[in-house]
Amino acid sequence: MQAARVRLPVGVYKAFERGSEGEALFRQVTSDLSIEEREYFSFCFYDKEEGIRHWLYNDKKILKQLKNLPQEFSFEVKFYPTTPTTIVDDHARYYVFLQLRRDILTGRLPATADTHALHGSFVVEMTIKCIKCYFFF
């Protein structure tokens, strides 16, 4: 088995053992990131020639989906929750926040001033939770 190169939400790449289907790789990555609420996330890969993003289907063979593209994936949010505060898993909420921030900064997700203010409140909430976890555990 070849290793798959996966870009994690924090922006770094990590190699994972690639199974024949996407579900095996997905379980490895979500386990490594300690994500329990997995339904918001998926892998995508980019067609370098056309610059198009394609989502990887977990129930299909990886090689058939790639069609001679390099085995390089990006672990991203596929479905944004309507209210991020309903996400119970702190790790999942953090990675959704990172993706949301990156999408707003790059212009992939246009945002109004109200959305920026709401996003800022999520940053403060996440920072306070991280500080509490650091000092009290």
Side-chain angles (χ1 to χ4, degrees):
M1 293 262 166
Q2 280 186 326
R5 190 170 180 234
V6 178
R7 184 173 62 86
L8 301 176
V10 292
V12 298
Y13 285 89
K14 188 172 181 178
F16 290 92
E17 286 298 317
R18 180 187 54 80
S20 62
E21 293 184 355
E23 183 63 30
L25 180 62
F26 188 70
R27 285 186 183 187
Q28 285 181 44
V29 173
T30 54
S31 174
D32 187 66
L33 296 175
S34 302
I35 295 175
E36 294 174 13
E37 292 182 76
R38 306 169 0 147
E39 60 270 13
Y40 302 109
F41 303 95
S42 188
F43 290 115
C44 65
F45 56 95
Y46 291 87
D47 185 348
K48 302 287 184 190
E49 294 175 7
E50 298 177 21
I52 298 173
R53 175 172 63 177
H54 301 279
W55 292 103
L56 187 73
Y57 294 100
N58 288 348
D59 58 343
K60 295 183 181 177
K61 297 203 180 286
I62 292 176
L63 290 178
K64 287 186 178 183
Q65 296 180 66
L66 288 179
K67 299 177 185 170
N68 298 324
L69 291 173
Q71 296 183 24
E72 185 173 300
F73 305 100
S74 182
F75 184 76
E76 295 184 8
V77 174
K78 187 171 184 178
F79 303 107
Y80 283 109
T82 54
T83 52
T85 54
T86 60
I87 301 175
V88 178
D89 180 19
D90 286 336
H91 292 104
R93 189 178 321 121
Y94 176 67
Y95 294 124
V96 167
F97 156 73
L98 288 178
Q99 179 75 38
L100 185 61
R101 181 181 68 178
R102 184 173 51 232
D103 286 352
I104 289 174
L105 289 174
T106 61
R108 177 183 278 173
L109 185 65
T112 63
D114 291 341
T115 305
H116 285 294
L118 182 62
H119 189 253
S121 71
F122 292 147
V123 171
V124 171
E125 177 187 351
M126 195 51 120
T127 305
I128 290 171
K129 281 189 177 191
C130 288
I131 290 171
K132 284 181 181 178
C133 291
Y134 180 75
F135 285 114
F136 297 115
F137 290 109

